[in-house]
Amino acid sequence: MSSALPPLQPPSPHLLARWRQQWRKMVFLEKMPESGEVLLTQRRVFTLPSKAGWMFLLLLLILFISATNYNLNLGFALTFVLAASAIVNVFLSFRNLAYLHLASGPVTSVFAGEEAQLTIYLINRRAHQRFAIWAGWQNQPETARAADIAPHSQTALQLHFHTSQRGWQQVPRIALHTWFPLGLLRAWSTWLPDARALVYPEPEALAPPLPMISKAGNEVNEQSGTEDFSGVRAYQPGDPLKHLAWKHIARVDPAAGGQLVSKQFSGGMGSEVMLDFSRLPHHMDPELKLSRMTRWVIDADLSGIAYGFQLGTDHLAPSQGPAHREACLRALALYQLPDA
């Protein structure tokens, strides 16, 4: 008696994705992240007929068969002229993209949920002009942007990509393609720049006021008095209109995502702002704690007052300014991440 063979199991999606990646590396030479300036050699530029190109080849075939059946000399002449134009199109389309130099600029740091911006430079060191070169994220054709590059010059393009979580995020692979001059052929290549975006935690929408710490180490209630101005914070529903910080609001462009801020007062003397991760409630989710700390860093920086920062082994003395804000946000973005 022969035993029944076990049913064949389909390959796992992870295995299929890895096979697809290996196949694209071998066939399309998709390399790992490349730093510095990159040259699109002829081995990295691929050409395939477009939809219009396939229709054009079908037309040539019909013309050739018709001219052969009816022995039409003018039909042969027309077929050969069109075929010669297609051959010239192949050369011009390939030359339009081949030996183009690529370089990437810095990536903007953003908060989770926002779009980061990458600047890429298309550098033409040849004596001919390049027309209608499209660059965008691979598998996202709607992000592609076109550029013409004059001889011995360069063009900068800004590409945006969405961020979802804090930490370092690798930029997606970039696809470059062109249909110049007749649209019969598509020349394309890919490039993965060695660039990463630093993504900060998403700020908490309705965070409590900044924690004021007295010189003795006790928490100070910001709502206990309205005699001493201690800074500003994000507007909370129910704040009196007379406590709105109109000078700070006027300096923020509403189109850039500005928001209302309120003045905060402290009745106690000799207090300072200390942002300490360990002082937050222990039952809170760690990511929510990081979001609250992020909001407090933004509010403290907006108020223009010195604030201290404590997160694990990172301890920053009370200070202010862009460098201090960047150090705090960077520590929050990379907190307990393996690639920190």
Side-chain angles (χ1 to χ4, degrees):
M1 296 180 62
S2 59
S3 59
L5 295 176
L8 295 177
Q9 298 294 332
S12 64
H14 178 72
L15 184 60
L16 289 176
R18 188 170 63 179
W19 286 350
R20 189 181 299 111
Q21 184 180 10
Q22 292 296 332
W23 179 78
R24 296 188 68 90
K25 284 183 180 179
M26 292 186 297
V27 177
F28 299 121
L29 304 178
E30 290 190 352
K31 302 181 180 180
M32 299 300 289
E34 301 174 272
S35 59
E37 190 173 292
V38 174
L39 174 64
L40 294 182
T41 60
Q42 61 182 13
R43 295 186 66 246
R44 294 187 58 170
V45 178
F46 305 90
T47 55
L48 284 175
S50 61
K51 293 182 180 179
W54 288 114
M55 296 300 297
F56 187 80
L57 291 176
L58 179 61
L59 175 64
L60 289 180
L61 181 60
I62 294 174
L63 288 175
F64 181 77
I65 294 175
S66 300
T68 302
N69 287 340
Y70 297 100
N71 196 19
L72 299 176
N73 292 332
L74 290 179
F76 283 116
L78 177 61
T79 303
F80 294 149
V81 168
L82 293 178
S85 301
I87 294 175
V88 173
N89 177 82
V90 172
F91 169 73
L92 293 178
S93 181
F94 177 82
R95 190 186 70 160
N96 196 45
L97 188 59
Y99 299 103
L100 180 69
H101 294 255
L102 308 173
S104 63
V107 188
T108 57
S109 299
V110 296
F111 297 97
E114 298 179 345
E115 288 193 342
Q117 175 180 291
L118 170 68
T119 302
I120 63 173
Y121 300 94
L122 311 180
I123 308 170
N124 181 18
R125 293 199 170 95
R126 297 295 176 111
H128 61 272
Q129 186 168 356
R130 302 176 187 264
F131 299 92
I133 295 181
W134 292 79
W137 306 123
Q138 192 178 29
N139 302 324
Q140 299 181 32
E142 68 279 0
T143 63
R145 300 185 59 188
D148 297 333
I149 314 174
H152 305 291
S153 64
Q154 70 177 22
T155 298
L157 293 178
Q158 282 76 38
L159 301 178
H160 299 81
F161 61 96
H162 185 72
T163 59
S164 56
Q165 57 186 7
R166 65 181 179 92
W168 290 111
Q169 180 168 330
Q170 173 70 40
V171 301
R173 182 174 293 274
I174 298 174
L176 301 105
H177 45 87
T178 180
W179 288 271
F180 176 84
L182 300 180
L184 302 179
L185 198 73
R186 173 176 174 258
W188 59 277
S189 183
T190 63
W191 168 48
L192 182 59
D194 188 13
R196 301 184 300 174
L198 182 60
V199 183
Y200 306 134
E202 181 180 4
E204 186 179 8
L206 299 175
L210 290 172
M212 304 296 295
I213 306 299
S214 66
K215 296 299 184 179
N218 301 320
E219 293 188 3
V220 177
N221 183 8
E222 286 86 337
Q223 307 297 334
S224 60
T226 58
E227 298 179 357
D228 300 318
F229 174 72
S230 61
V232 297
R233 58 172 173 81
Y235 172 79
Q236 302 290 331
D239 287 349
L241 292 180
K242 64 179 181 179
H243 287 174
L244 289 178
W246 296 108
K247 292 184 179 180
H248 294 274
I249 297 173
R251 289 199 295 265
V252 179
D253 184 9
Q259 62 178 0
L260 297 178
V261 291
S262 300
K263 298 178 183 178
Q264 62 180 6
F265 302 88
S266 175
M269 299 297 294
S271 60
E272 62 183 15
V273 176
M274 176 56 67
L275 309 181
D276 192 347
F277 185 84
S278 62
R279 289 180 176 269
L280 293 174
H282 296 288
H283 65 274
M284 285 182 62
D285 181 77
E287 294 298 325
L288 181 57
K289 291 183 181 180
L290 296 176
S291 297
R292 179 166 297 181
M293 292 276 290
T294 303
R295 170 57 63 188
W296 281 345
V297 169
I298 296 173
D299 292 345
D301 180 74
L302 185 63
S303 68
I305 59 178
Y307 57 96
F309 182 85
Q310 178 70 42
L311 177 63
T313 58
D314 295 323
H315 177 75
L316 301 177
S319 183
Q320 56 182 325
H324 185 63
R325 176 180 181 271
E326 170 66 22
C328 297
L329 293 178
R330 183 185 181 92
L332 292 168
L334 303 179
Y335 179 66
Q336 291 185 347
L337 291 182
D339 58 348

